[in-house]
Amino acid sequence: MDILSLLVIGPGGWGDEILWGLCVTLALALATFPVAIVLSFAIHCARSSSLAPVRIVGQAYATVFKSLPEILTLLILYYQAQAVLSWLVRRFLPQADLSISPFFAGLVALSLVISAYGSEVVRAAMNAVGKGQFEAAAALGLSRARSFHKVILPQLWRHALPGFGNLWVILLKDTSLVSVIALSDLTHVAVIAINTTREPFLFYLAIGTIYVGLVTLSSLVQKVLEGRAARGFTAAGGQHA
């Protein structure tokens, strides 16, 4: 049998399983990224808070999740957190059985890690915008919330896009870690296929090609977004038209 026939869709081939793994990988990344961005802003606000306890918690969060390997964060959350939650639930509901799905565990673990790095992206972008923009908006009589939405956010987003684009690429690759908790992503499907067919080169090459394609497409989308964000700003002064 032709070795490439192992990649076809349908009986005898692994193409449909690989497509399903691709869908799971993309679903996990797309579900995680918005959560990570929101957390990135929240952690940055905590780290820059005037309240010392809040600032310490924000700094500790960033330090811990930037220090722990992603796979260790995932394993702790999936196994240890699940054990603790199950113990707490059984204290009140003895017959209850709580379990955390691999998808949810992957989403939470990756969100925690990506947001720790994302808070640095937000910090750098905020520094690039400068406090003078807040002061100018306040002088116009805008509320702090409206100032952020109308004045700061468009400028901040322009500065943050390259950093968040890099984090998206990292997230895409880190989704492969969920294979260790049996979520049927691309890597997990490839491992099953390899164990069945004994063709590691073929399937690793196939999923490697898919990841290269995803990252290439992401880079193209990022360039388009950066181009749109730069519209309305002069190349010389960087001021909004």
Side-chain angles (χ1 to χ4, degrees):
M1 183 176 63
D2 184 5
I3 188 174
L4 294 179
S5 64
L6 294 173
L7 298 177
V8 301
I9 296 176
W14 288 83
D16 45 353
E17 286 85 357
I18 291 175
L19 284 177
W20 175 253
L22 174 60
C23 291
V24 172
T25 293
L26 289 175
L28 180 59
L30 290 171
T32 299
F33 198 56
V35 177
I37 289 179
V38 172
L39 283 176
S40 297
F41 280 92
I43 297 308
H44 167 72
C45 291
R47 295 175 68 182
S48 58
S49 173
S50 58
L51 300 175
V54 177
R55 191 167 60 251
I56 291 172
V57 170
Q59 188 60 48
Y61 177 103
T63 300
V64 168
F65 290 111
K66 285 193 294 183
S67 302
L68 289 176
E70 289 91 337
I71 192 169
L72 182 58
T73 302
L74 177 63
L75 292 176
I76 290 174
L77 182 69
Y78 185 63
Y79 291 108
Q80 299 305 318
Q82 184 164 232
V84 172
L85 287 175
S86 296
W87 179 81
L88 288 174
V89 169
R90 283 197 294 268
R91 295 279 294 181
F92 300 98
L93 300 171
Q95 304 303 320
D97 184 19
L98 178 67
S99 63
I100 299 175
S101 72
F103 187 94
F104 180 75
L107 187 155
V108 174
L110 293 175
S111 295
L112 294 175
V113 173
I114 296 298
S115 63
Y117 291 99
S119 66
E120 297 289 351
V121 174
V122 176
R123 181 184 63 82
M126 289 292 288
N127 289 339
V129 172
K131 294 182 179 179
Q133 297 295 324
F134 282 103
E135 295 170 355
L140 293 174
L142 298 177
S143 66
R144 191 169 182 83
R146 190 170 178 81
S147 297
F148 181 80
H149 181 258
K150 294 293 185 180
V151 179
I152 305 302
L153 186 59
Q155 299 179 66
L156 184 148
W157 186 242
R158 175 172 170 260
H159 292 294
L161 264 174
F164 278 130
N166 290 334
L167 288 179
W168 165 256
V169 171
I170 293 172
L171 174 60
L172 269 178
K173 295 185 292 184
D174 281 354
T175 55
S176 62
L177 298 175
V178 299
S179 62
V180 302
I181 56 174
L183 183 64
S184 297
D185 72 315
L186 273 173
T187 303
H188 185 70
V189 168
V191 169
I192 295 175
I194 289 167
N195 290 337
T196 303
T197 64
R198 305 301 180 186
E199 294 290 349
F201 180 78
L202 174 66
F203 288 100
Y204 284 142
L205 179 63
I207 66 168
T209 301
I210 292 173
Y211 276 115
V212 170
L214 290 175
V215 171
T216 301
L217 179 60
S218 298
S219 298
L220 294 175
V221 172
Q222 180 180 341
K223 288 182 179 179
V224 172
L225 293 176
E226 288 179 2
R228 290 186 176 181
R231 290 176 186 172
F233 288 83
T234 61
Q239 300 297 320
H240 197 277

